[in-house]
Amino acid sequence: MHLTRLALTDFRSYAELSLELSPGVTTFSGPNGEGKTNLVEAIGYLSTLGSHRVATDAPLVRRGADRAVLRAAVSGAQGGTLVEIELNPGRANRVRLNRAPMPRPRDILGALRTVLFAPEDLALVKGDPGERRRFLDELLVATAPRYAGVRADYERVLRQRTALLKSAGAKGHLRGAARESMTATLDAWDAQLAQAGAPLLAGRMRLVTALRPHVTAAYEAVSGGSPGDSCEISYRASVFNNNEFDNDVARLEVAELEVAMLKALAGVRASELDRGVCLVGPHRDELELFVGGLPARGYASHGESWSLALALRLASFALLKQDSEDPVLILDDVFAELDTGRRDRLAALVSGGEQVLITAAVPADVPDVLAGVRFTVRAGVVTGAS
Protein backbone atom coordinates (compact mmCIF):
# COMPACT_ATOMS: atom_id res chain seq x y z
CA MET A 1 0.00 0.00 0.00
CA HIS A 2 1.27 3.49 -0.81
CA LEU A 3 0.08 7.06 -1.23
CA THR A 4 0.14 8.51 -4.72
CA ARG A 5 -1.19 11.98 -3.84
CA LEU A 6 -1.84 14.10 -0.77
CA ALA A 7 -4.00 17.24 -1.02
CA LEU A 8 -4.69 19.64 1.85
CA THR A 9 -6.90 22.71 2.16
CA ASP A 10 -6.62 24.92 5.25
CA PHE A 11 -4.91 22.20 7.27
CA ARG A 12 -2.46 23.60 9.83
CA SER A 13 -0.02 25.83 7.91
CA TYR A 14 -1.20 24.74 4.47
CA ALA A 15 -3.78 26.91 2.73
CA GLU A 16 -3.50 24.71 -0.37
CA LEU A 17 -1.25 21.77 -1.11
CA SER A 18 -1.21 19.08 -3.77
CA LEU A 19 1.70 16.68 -3.55
CA GLU A 20 2.48 13.71 -5.76
CA LEU A 21 4.12 10.78 -3.97
CA SER A 22 5.69 7.52 -5.09
CA PRO A 23 6.69 4.18 -3.56
CA GLY A 24 10.05 3.91 -1.85
CA VAL A 25 11.64 6.45 0.47
CA THR A 26 10.61 10.12 0.51
CA THR A 27 12.28 12.64 2.83
CA PHE A 28 10.91 16.06 3.81
CA SER A 29 13.67 18.26 5.21
CA GLY A 30 13.83 21.83 6.46
CA PRO A 31 14.16 23.83 9.69
CA ASN A 32 11.85 23.07 12.59
CA GLY A 33 8.52 24.86 12.57
CA GLU A 34 8.24 25.04 8.78
CA GLY A 35 5.47 22.44 8.30
CA LYS A 36 7.14 19.03 7.92
CA THR A 37 5.27 17.36 10.75
CA ASN A 38 2.00 18.90 9.56
CA LEU A 39 2.32 16.79 6.40
CA VAL A 40 2.72 13.47 8.15
CA GLU A 41 0.13 14.45 10.76
CA ALA A 42 -2.39 14.83 7.93
CA ILE A 43 -1.50 11.41 6.56
CA GLY A 44 -1.81 9.90 10.02
CA TYR A 45 -5.23 11.52 10.45
CA LEU A 46 -6.44 10.11 7.15
CA SER A 47 -5.44 6.68 8.45
CA THR A 48 -6.62 6.79 12.08
CA LEU A 49 -9.05 9.74 12.34
CA GLY A 50 -6.79 11.20 15.00
CA SER A 51 -3.63 13.26 15.46
CA HIS A 52 -0.50 12.03 17.20
CA ARG A 53 0.06 15.58 18.49
CA VAL A 54 -3.29 16.94 19.74
CA ALA A 55 -6.48 15.45 21.17
CA THR A 56 -9.00 17.69 19.37
CA ASP A 57 -9.56 18.80 15.78
CA ALA A 58 -9.66 22.57 16.32
CA PRO A 59 -5.85 23.12 16.17
CA LEU A 60 -5.75 21.27 12.83
CA VAL A 61 -7.75 23.95 11.01
CA ARG A 62 -5.68 26.86 9.67
CA ARG A 63 -6.20 30.08 11.59
CA GLY A 64 -9.02 32.10 10.06
CA ALA A 65 -10.58 29.14 8.24
CA ASP A 66 -13.86 27.43 9.17
CA ARG A 67 -12.87 23.96 8.09
CA ALA A 68 -10.03 21.87 6.71
CA VAL A 69 -10.11 19.28 3.95
CA LEU A 70 -7.72 16.33 3.64
CA ARG A 71 -7.53 14.07 0.60
CA ALA A 72 -5.36 11.05 -0.12
CA ALA A 73 -5.14 8.87 -3.20
CA VAL A 74 -4.07 5.39 -2.12
CA SER A 75 -2.82 2.53 -4.28
CA GLY A 76 -3.16 -0.97 -2.85
CA ALA A 77 -3.67 -4.59 -3.72
CA GLN A 78 -7.35 -3.91 -4.42
CA GLY A 79 -6.64 -0.97 -6.73
CA GLY A 80 -6.92 2.79 -6.17
CA THR A 81 -8.89 4.48 -3.39
CA LEU A 82 -9.65 8.14 -2.72
CA VAL A 83 -10.09 9.09 0.94
CA GLU A 84 -11.49 12.52 1.85
CA ILE A 85 -12.11 14.08 5.26
CA GLU A 86 -13.69 17.46 6.00
CA LEU A 87 -12.83 18.67 9.50
CA ASN A 88 -15.52 20.86 11.06
CA PRO A 89 -14.58 21.79 14.64
CA GLY A 90 -17.67 22.00 16.80
CA ARG A 91 -19.71 20.14 14.20
CA ALA A 92 -19.72 16.66 12.70
CA ASN A 93 -16.84 15.84 10.38
CA ARG A 94 -17.67 14.53 6.93
CA VAL A 95 -15.93 11.73 5.08
CA ARG A 96 -16.08 10.34 1.56
CA LEU A 97 -14.65 7.18 0.10
CA ASN A 98 -14.18 7.20 -3.68
CA ARG A 99 -16.31 10.39 -3.68
CA ALA A 100 -19.26 8.62 -2.00
CA PRO A 101 -20.35 10.10 1.37
CA MET A 102 -19.98 7.67 4.28
CA PRO A 103 -22.52 7.57 7.14
CA ARG A 104 -19.83 7.64 9.84
CA PRO A 105 -16.19 8.79 9.84
CA ARG A 106 -15.00 5.37 11.01
CA ASP A 107 -16.35 3.82 7.80
CA ILE A 108 -13.15 4.88 6.02
CA LEU A 109 -10.82 3.12 8.46
CA GLY A 110 -8.69 0.53 6.71
CA ALA A 111 -8.59 2.38 3.40
CA LEU A 112 -5.15 3.76 4.37
CA ARG A 113 -2.99 2.00 6.94
CA THR A 114 0.04 3.67 8.45
CA VAL A 115 2.61 3.08 11.18
CA LEU A 116 3.94 6.36 12.52
CA PHE A 117 7.15 6.81 14.54
CA ALA A 118 7.43 10.18 16.33
CA PRO A 119 9.23 11.74 19.30
CA GLU A 120 5.92 11.52 21.16
CA ASP A 121 6.30 7.72 21.12
CA LEU A 122 8.56 7.96 24.16
CA ALA A 123 5.30 8.37 26.11
CA LEU A 124 4.45 4.77 25.21
CA VAL A 125 7.18 3.75 27.64
CA LYS A 126 7.37 6.61 30.11
CA GLY A 127 3.79 7.87 30.05
CA ASP A 128 0.59 6.87 31.79
CA PRO A 129 -1.25 3.59 31.09
CA GLY A 130 -3.73 5.47 28.90
CA GLU A 131 -0.98 6.00 26.30
CA ARG A 132 -0.42 2.26 26.04
CA ARG A 133 -4.13 1.45 25.94
CA ARG A 134 -4.49 3.93 23.09
CA PHE A 135 -1.60 2.24 21.27
CA LEU A 136 -3.28 -1.17 21.59
CA ASP A 137 -6.67 0.11 20.48
CA GLU A 138 -5.32 1.96 17.45
CA LEU A 139 -3.42 -1.13 16.37
CA LEU A 140 -6.47 -3.28 16.99
CA VAL A 141 -8.54 -1.01 14.72
CA ALA A 142 -5.79 -1.11 12.07
CA THR A 143 -5.86 -4.92 12.08
CA ALA A 144 -9.69 -5.07 12.11
CA PRO A 145 -11.59 -1.78 11.59
CA ARG A 146 -14.74 -3.20 13.22
CA TYR A 147 -13.06 -2.64 16.58
CA ALA A 148 -13.61 1.10 16.14
CA GLY A 149 -17.30 0.43 16.73
CA VAL A 150 -16.53 -1.96 19.59
CA ARG A 151 -14.44 0.67 21.34
CA ALA A 152 -17.02 3.42 20.74
CA ASP A 153 -19.79 1.25 22.20
CA TYR A 154 -17.72 0.50 25.30
CA GLU A 155 -16.79 4.13 25.88
CA ARG A 156 -20.44 5.20 25.55
CA VAL A 157 -21.64 2.66 28.14
CA LEU A 158 -18.71 3.48 30.43
CA ARG A 159 -19.59 7.20 30.43
CA GLN A 160 -23.22 6.50 31.29
CA ARG A 161 -22.42 3.97 34.01
CA THR A 162 -19.83 6.30 35.56
CA ALA A 163 -22.40 9.12 35.63
CA LEU A 164 -24.79 6.80 37.46
CA LEU A 165 -22.14 5.86 40.03
CA LYS A 166 -21.36 9.51 40.71
CA SER A 167 -25.05 10.25 41.10
CA ALA A 168 -25.49 7.33 43.51
CA GLY A 169 -22.51 8.41 45.56
CA ALA A 170 -23.83 11.96 45.83
CA LYS A 171 -27.08 10.66 47.33
CA GLY A 172 -25.30 9.07 50.29
CA HIS A 173 -26.54 5.85 51.89
CA LEU A 174 -29.74 4.89 50.14
CA ARG A 175 -32.39 2.91 51.98
CA GLY A 176 -35.41 0.75 51.14
CA ALA A 177 -37.01 1.13 47.73
CA ALA A 178 -34.47 3.73 46.60
CA ARG A 179 -31.61 1.33 47.28
CA GLU A 180 -33.39 -1.53 45.51
CA SER A 181 -34.02 0.71 42.49
CA MET A 182 -30.38 1.81 42.33
CA THR A 183 -29.19 -1.80 42.65
CA ALA A 184 -31.46 -2.91 39.81
CA THR A 185 -30.28 -0.04 37.64
CA LEU A 186 -26.63 -0.86 38.30
CA ASP A 187 -27.26 -4.52 37.53
CA ALA A 188 -28.59 -3.50 34.11
CA TRP A 189 -25.60 -1.25 33.45
CA ASP A 190 -23.18 -3.94 34.63
CA ALA A 191 -24.65 -6.26 32.02
CA GLN A 192 -24.25 -3.61 29.30
CA LEU A 193 -20.69 -2.79 30.33
CA ALA A 194 -19.69 -6.46 30.33
CA GLN A 195 -21.37 -7.04 26.97
CA ALA A 196 -19.57 -4.04 25.45
CA GLY A 197 -16.24 -4.62 27.21
CA ALA A 198 -15.73 -8.34 26.65
CA PRO A 199 -15.11 -8.09 22.86
CA LEU A 200 -12.61 -5.26 23.40
CA LEU A 201 -10.84 -7.22 26.14
CA ALA A 202 -10.70 -10.34 23.97
CA GLY A 203 -9.29 -8.37 21.05
CA ARG A 204 -6.61 -6.72 23.15
CA MET A 205 -5.47 -9.95 24.81
CA ARG A 206 -5.18 -11.76 21.50
CA LEU A 207 -3.38 -8.77 20.02
CA VAL A 208 -0.78 -8.77 22.80
CA THR A 209 -0.24 -12.50 22.33
CA ALA A 210 0.33 -11.97 18.59
CA LEU A 211 2.47 -8.86 19.14
CA ARG A 212 4.79 -10.30 21.79
CA PRO A 213 7.28 -12.19 19.56
CA HIS A 214 7.47 -9.26 17.13
CA VAL A 215 8.27 -6.81 19.94
CA THR A 216 10.98 -9.09 21.33
CA ALA A 217 12.61 -9.51 17.92
CA ALA A 218 12.36 -5.81 17.05
CA TYR A 219 13.84 -4.72 20.38
CA GLU A 220 16.82 -7.02 19.92
CA ALA A 221 17.33 -5.69 16.40
CA VAL A 222 17.11 -2.00 17.38
CA SER A 223 19.17 -2.26 20.57
CA GLY A 224 21.88 -4.32 18.95
CA GLY A 225 21.24 -7.45 21.00
CA SER A 226 23.50 -6.64 23.97
CA PRO A 227 23.82 -9.50 26.49
CA GLY A 228 21.02 -9.35 29.07
CA ASP A 229 19.31 -6.59 27.08
CA SER A 230 15.86 -8.07 26.46
CA CYS A 231 12.28 -6.88 26.69
CA GLU A 232 8.91 -8.40 27.50
CA ILE A 233 5.32 -7.23 27.28
CA SER A 234 2.27 -8.45 29.19
CA TYR A 235 -1.35 -7.42 29.60
CA ARG A 236 -2.79 -6.79 33.06
CA ALA A 237 -6.57 -7.12 33.05
CA SER A 238 -8.56 -5.65 35.93
CA VAL A 239 -11.17 -8.35 35.32
CA PHE A 240 -8.66 -10.92 36.59
CA ASN A 241 -7.65 -9.00 39.73
CA ASN A 242 -4.85 -7.27 37.81
CA ASN A 243 -2.94 -10.52 37.35
CA GLU A 244 -1.27 -11.12 34.01
CA PHE A 245 -3.40 -13.46 31.95
CA ASP A 246 -1.91 -16.83 31.09
CA ASN A 247 -2.26 -18.69 27.80
CA ASP A 248 -5.49 -20.34 28.87
CA VAL A 249 -7.10 -17.01 29.73
CA ALA A 250 -5.91 -15.53 26.42
CA ARG A 251 -7.94 -18.18 24.64
CA LEU A 252 -11.18 -17.42 26.50
CA GLU A 253 -14.16 -16.71 24.32
CA VAL A 254 -16.03 -13.41 24.49
CA ALA A 255 -18.94 -15.00 26.38
CA GLU A 256 -16.58 -16.32 29.06
CA LEU A 257 -14.91 -12.93 29.42
CA GLU A 258 -18.34 -11.33 29.78
CA VAL A 259 -19.12 -13.66 32.70
CA ALA A 260 -15.73 -12.91 34.28
CA MET A 261 -16.34 -9.17 33.95
CA LEU A 262 -19.76 -9.42 35.59
CA LYS A 263 -18.23 -11.34 38.49
CA ALA A 264 -15.47 -8.75 38.89
CA LEU A 265 -17.97 -5.87 38.79
CA ALA A 266 -20.04 -7.50 41.52
CA GLY A 267 -16.94 -7.80 43.66
CA VAL A 268 -16.10 -4.09 43.54
CA ARG A 269 -19.57 -2.56 43.62
CA ALA A 270 -19.29 -1.22 47.17
CA SER A 271 -15.96 0.44 46.35
CA GLU A 272 -17.35 1.88 43.12
CA LEU A 273 -20.30 3.45 44.94
CA ASP A 274 -17.96 4.94 47.55
CA ARG A 275 -15.60 6.40 44.95
CA GLY A 276 -18.02 7.15 42.12
CA VAL A 277 -15.82 5.55 39.47
CA CYS A 278 -15.83 2.34 37.46
CA LEU A 279 -13.02 0.13 38.75
CA VAL A 280 -13.22 -2.84 36.38
CA GLY A 281 -12.96 -3.02 32.60
CA PRO A 282 -10.62 -2.41 29.67
CA HIS A 283 -10.29 1.27 30.65
CA ARG A 284 -8.45 0.15 33.84
CA ASP A 285 -6.11 -2.32 32.16
CA GLU A 286 -2.41 -1.92 31.45
CA LEU A 287 0.07 -3.01 28.81
CA GLU A 288 3.13 -3.71 30.95
CA LEU A 289 6.59 -3.26 29.46
CA PHE A 290 9.79 -4.74 30.90
CA VAL A 291 13.47 -4.30 30.02
CA GLY A 292 15.98 -6.70 31.52
CA GLY A 293 13.26 -8.09 33.79
CA LEU A 294 12.45 -4.67 35.33
CA PRO A 295 9.49 -2.37 34.61
CA ALA A 296 10.51 -0.09 31.77
CA ARG A 297 8.67 2.85 33.28
CA GLY A 298 11.00 4.15 35.95
CA TYR A 299 13.91 1.76 35.31
CA ALA A 300 14.78 1.84 31.62
CA SER A 301 17.49 4.25 30.45
CA HIS A 302 16.74 6.84 27.79
CA GLY A 303 18.29 4.65 25.09
CA GLU A 304 16.43 1.56 26.29
CA SER A 305 13.16 3.49 26.37
CA TRP A 306 13.69 4.64 22.79
CA SER A 307 14.55 1.10 21.68
CA LEU A 308 11.36 -0.21 23.28
CA ALA A 309 9.17 2.52 21.80
CA LEU A 310 10.63 1.80 18.36
CA ALA A 311 10.17 -1.94 18.92
CA LEU A 312 6.45 -1.42 19.57
CA ARG A 313 6.07 0.44 16.27
CA LEU A 314 8.21 -2.02 14.32
CA ALA A 315 6.20 -4.89 15.78
CA SER A 316 3.01 -3.11 14.67
CA PHE A 317 4.39 -2.87 11.15
CA ALA A 318 5.37 -6.56 11.15
CA LEU A 319 1.93 -7.59 12.40
CA LEU A 320 0.04 -5.49 9.84
CA LYS A 321 2.32 -6.65 7.04
CA GLN A 322 1.77 -10.25 8.09
CA ASP A 323 -2.00 -9.86 7.76
CA SER A 324 -1.97 -8.24 4.32
CA GLU A 325 0.10 -5.60 2.52
CA ASP A 326 2.72 -3.18 3.82
CA PRO A 327 1.29 -0.17 5.64
CA VAL A 328 2.86 3.22 4.93
CA LEU A 329 5.80 3.80 7.29
CA ILE A 330 6.18 7.35 8.67
CA LEU A 331 9.28 8.48 10.59
CA ASP A 332 8.67 11.96 11.98
CA ASP A 333 11.92 13.56 13.17
CA VAL A 334 12.98 10.28 14.78
CA PHE A 335 16.60 10.02 13.65
CA ALA A 336 17.62 13.19 15.51
CA GLU A 337 16.57 11.47 18.75
CA LEU A 338 18.74 8.38 18.26
CA ASP A 339 22.42 7.60 18.67
CA THR A 340 24.33 6.48 15.57
CA GLY A 341 23.98 2.75 16.28
CA ARG A 342 20.21 2.82 16.78
CA ARG A 343 19.84 5.19 13.83
CA ASP A 344 21.61 2.83 11.44
CA ARG A 345 19.86 -0.28 12.75
CA LEU A 346 16.44 1.35 12.45
CA ALA A 347 17.21 2.49 8.90
CA ALA A 348 18.21 -1.04 7.90
CA LEU A 349 15.00 -2.45 9.36
CA VAL A 350 12.62 -0.07 7.57
CA SER A 351 14.42 0.43 4.25
CA GLY A 352 12.47 -2.38 2.59
CA GLY A 353 9.04 -0.86 3.26
CA GLU A 354 6.86 -0.27 0.22
CA GLN A 355 6.58 3.43 1.13
CA VAL A 356 8.63 5.19 3.80
CA LEU A 357 8.01 8.88 4.55
CA ILE A 358 10.63 10.69 6.64
CA THR A 359 10.88 14.17 8.13
CA ALA A 360 14.23 15.57 9.26
CA ALA A 361 15.48 19.01 10.19
CA VAL A 362 19.00 17.98 9.16
CA PRO A 363 19.18 15.80 6.02
CA ALA A 364 22.48 14.33 7.19
CA ASP A 365 20.65 12.69 10.10
CA VAL A 366 18.98 10.32 7.64
CA PRO A 367 21.23 7.29 6.94
CA ASP A 368 22.37 6.78 3.36
CA VAL A 369 20.48 3.48 3.08
CA LEU A 370 17.29 5.59 3.07
CA ALA A 371 18.27 7.70 0.09
CA GLY A 372 15.29 8.45 -2.14
CA VAL A 373 13.11 11.34 -3.27
CA ARG A 374 13.79 14.51 -1.27
CA PHE A 375 11.59 17.56 -0.73
CA THR A 376 12.38 20.81 1.07
CA VAL A 377 9.73 22.36 3.32
CA ARG A 378 9.85 26.05 4.20
CA ALA A 379 7.01 28.25 5.47
CA GLY A 380 4.45 25.66 4.49
CA VAL A 381 5.74 25.37 0.91
CA VAL A 382 6.98 22.01 -0.39
CA THR A 383 9.52 22.20 -3.20
CA GLY A 384 12.36 20.45 -4.94
CA ALA A 385 11.60 16.77 -5.52
CA SER A 386 14.84 15.12 -6.58
Side-chain angles (χ1 to χ4, degrees), residues 347-368:
L349 289 168
V350 304
S351 60
E354 180 176 346
Q355 187 173 52
V356 183
L357 306 177
I358 302 169
T359 71
V362 180
D365 285 344
V366 182
D368 292 340

Side-chain angles (χ1 to χ4, degrees), residues 337-353:
E337 303 285 342
L338 304 177
D339 58 46
T340 302
R342 288 184 173 85
R343 187 182 295 175
D344 291 341
R345 287 190 290 271
L346 174 61
L349 289 168
V350 304
S351 60

Side-chain angles (χ1 to χ4, degrees), residues 42-383:
I43 295 168
Y45 196 103
L46 285 156
S47 171
T48 66
L49 299 178
S51 163
H52 69 290
R53 302 161 77 192
V54 294
T56 62
D57 290 346
L60 306 180
V61 178
R62 192 171 65 91
R63 183 177 298 179
D66 295 328
R67 61 172 190 164
V69 179
L70 300 79
R71 298 182 179 89
V74 184
S75 178
Q78 306 303 317
T81 304
L82 178 63
V83 182
E84 299 174 273
I85 301 177
E86 181 183 297
L87 300 180
N88 298 296
R91 296 171 289 138
N93 293 339
R94 299 178 181 177
V95 301
R96 295 197 298 175
L97 195 61
N98 293 327
R99 304 195 184 282
M102 295 288 104
R104 301 164 302 187
R106 68 173 185 251
D107 291 334
I108 66 169
L109 291 172
L112 171 62
R113 299 199 304 173
T114 62
V115 172
L116 190 153
F117 300 72
E120 290 83 359
D121 283 345
L122 205 57
L124 291 177
V125 180
K126 296 189 173 185
D128 294 331
E131 298 284 348
R132 291 176 285 281
R133 289 193 294 267
R134 179 184 174 188
F135 162 76
L136 285 179
D137 289 345
E138 288 183 349
L139 181 55
L140 197 58
V141 171
T143 59
R146 66 182 179 84
Y147 278 103
V150 172
R151 183 174 60 174
D153 289 344
Y154 178 74
E155 290 174 348
R156 173 182 54 80
V157 175
L158 176 64
R159 285 193 300 270
Q160 293 171 314
R161 185 177 183 275
T162 300
L164 177 64
L165 286 170
K166 289 181 178 178
S167 173
K171 294 175 182 176
H173 298 289
L174 299 174
R175 294 288 185 270
R179 184 179 182 86
E180 291 179 7
S181 175
M182 180 60 69
T183 299
T185 303
L186 273 174
D187 286 343
W189 280 107
D190 285 1
Q192 289 192 49
L193 192 73
Q195 185 178 26
L200 181 58
L201 178 57
R204 282 187 187 172
M205 291 195 304
R206 289 168 185 158
L207 177 64
V208 171
T209 299
L211 198 61
R212 184 177 287 119
H214 294 296
V215 172
T216 301
Y219 182 83
E220 182 178 353
V222 171
S223 66
S226 302
D229 191 13
S230 62
C231 79
E232 298 175 6
I233 65 171
S234 65
Y235 188 84
R236 286 180 59 187
S238 55
V239 169
F240 300 109
N241 297 318
N242 286 327
N243 292 321
E244 178 191 351
F245 69 88
D246 56 26
N247 289 332
D248 290 334
V249 173
R251 287 195 293 267
L252 287 178
E253 297 298 326
V254 170
E256 296 172 292
L257 291 171
E258 188 174 333
V259 171
M261 193 165 171
L262 282 170
K263 182 179 178 181
L265 286 166
V268 298
R269 175 167 293 184
S271 296
E272 288 187 328
L273 287 168
D274 288 341
R275 297 172 59 180
V277 295
C278 185
L279 298 174
V280 167
H283 68 289
R284 304 284 294 195
D285 296 350
E286 165 72 299
L287 174 65
E288 293 191 317
L289 309 175
F290 301 90
V291 173
L294 295 173
R297 187 183 181 191
Y299 288 90
S301 68
H302 186 72
E304 288 170 337
S305 297
W306 260 114
S307 291
L308 186 48
L310 291 169
L312 290 169
R313 294 301 187 189
L314 287 168
S316 302
F317 176 75
L319 197 63
L320 292 171
K321 181 179 179 180
Q322 177 180 294
D323 288 342
S324 56
E325 53 195 332
D326 282 19
V328 177
L329 272 170
I330 303 172
L331 285 72
D332 181 25
D333 202 25
V334 168
F335 289 109
E337 303 285 342
L338 304 177
D339 58 46
T340 302
R342 288 184 173 85
R343 187 182 295 175
D344 291 341
R345 287 190 290 271
L346 174 61
L349 289 168
V350 304
S351 60
E354 180 176 346
Q355 187 173 52
V356 183
L357 306 177
I358 302 169
T359 71
V362 180
D365 285 344
V366 182
D368 292 340
V369 71
L370 293 177
V373 176
R374 296 189 177 247
F375 290 95
T376 298
V377 182
R378 289 186 181 274
V381 178
V382 183
T383 58

